[in-house]
Amino acid sequence: MNKCNIYELLQKNPYPGRGILIGCSEEQSIVMAYFIMGRSENSRNRIFEKTEDGIRTKAFEPDKMTDPSLVIYSPVRVFNGLTIVTNGDQTDTIFEFLKQGQDFRNALLSRKFEPDAPNYTPRISGLIKPDGSYALSILKTSNGNPNCCNRYFYEYSSAMPELGHFISTYQTDGEPLPSFDGEPISVDVTISGGLERFAYSMWDALNAENKVSLYVCNMNAKTGEKQDLIINKNS
């Protein structure tokens, strides 16, 4: 299987937008990363901060936040051992569906891409189960047509050491921004140098002008023990 180097992948892309990486390390722990980028002052005016059940975005300078509707949300929440990660308020939709005994897929069938014409930013989402299996999804327009929402789901029934999958909102920069295309990208996941080194290597690979925040997490699927780290450009 061909696996991409996640650092090289990010270095070559000036604007993937928001990105989710889920995979299994060489130590067979579950690794998850989520980052946000921004081109506008409103989008760049954010930080990640921890909450009781995950993380949320927050205005760095509240008086400069002009429109919180698509930029303030909880990217990561945990419910009953399930870790949810998304690029929008569909995190809460998935959380509520799980509480009602429903599933990840049904939750996202009730949602569609963001209403931010002309980009119509895709909604990307992930779910990690206690056994290490995981799912990824993207909801996007059909070739930029806002009258049609295509919903794609990818299930990974077992975690393979040193293998992960990466998905982002955009292919690269552009006007309008081109939506991510194709299946999630297979990437190499190794954290032999420790979680902090892994996190800062990803952070350094992101475009310096556009990057905003990064969250990384390393979970032991058997014990539930977790290490995590937040890096904010605004601090």
Side-chain angles (χ1 to χ4, degrees), residues 89-223:
D89 63 11
Q90 71 268 28
T91 306
D92 297 332
T93 303
I94 296 166
F95 187 91
E96 291 303 320
F97 269 64
L98 294 175
K99 280 179 63 177
Q100 296 166 15
Q102 299 192 59
D103 61 19
F104 176 75
R105 184 185 183 93
N106 284 334
L108 291 170
L109 289 175
S110 73
R111 301 300 304 268
K112 64 178 185 177
F113 48 83
E114 295 182 358
D116 60 337
N119 297 314
Y120 300 111
T121 298
R123 291 189 187 273
I124 55 172
S125 307
L127 182 75
I128 305 171
K129 298 180 181 179
D131 64 1
S133 61
Y134 55 95
L136 287 167
S137 171
I138 183 168
L139 316 179
K140 60 181 184 176
T141 66
S142 178
N143 296 317
N145 182 350
N147 296 315
C148 182
C149 179
N150 293 342
R151 299 176 176 88
Y152 300 91
F153 298 89
Y154 305 92
E155 301 277 346
Y156 304 95
S157 60
S158 61
M160 297 176 60
E162 300 183 27
L163 174 65
H165 294 91
F166 172 75
I167 194 168
S168 59
T169 51
Y170 311 122
Q171 292 184 59
T172 187
D173 208 349
E175 295 292 347
L177 288 159
S179 296
F180 181 90
D181 190 42
E183 294 186 10
I185 300 168
S186 297
V187 294
D188 186 13
V189 179
T190 55
I191 56 169
S192 55
L195 186 68
E196 186 170 333
R197 181 176 178 180
F198 171 76
Y200 277 96
S201 295
M202 278 195 70
W203 181 251
D204 291 343
L206 292 168
N207 180 273
E209 182 179 1
N210 294 322
K211 64 185 177 183
V212 175
S213 295
L214 168 69
Y215 174 75
V216 296
C217 181
N218 186 28
M219 298 171 280
N220 186 310
K222 293 181 179 179
T223 66

Side-chain angles (χ1 to χ4, degrees), residues 17-19 33-38 43-49 55-58 60 73 75 202-203 206-207 210-216 229-235:
R18 269 71 77 194
Y34 176 68
F35 64 79
I36 58 174
M37 305 180 81
S43 199
R44 292 176 175 177
N45 180 30
R46 292 183 289 171
I47 58 171
F48 284 165
E49 70 170 14
I55 63 169
R56 68 176 180 178
T57 61
K58 180 182 178 181
F60 178 63
Y73 57 92
M202 278 195 70
W203 181 251
L206 292 168
N207 180 273
N210 294 322
K211 64 185 177 183
V212 175
S213 295
L214 168 69
Y215 174 75
V216 296
L229 178 68
I230 287 173
I231 304 174
N232 289 313
K233 187 173 183 179
N234 297 315
S235 61

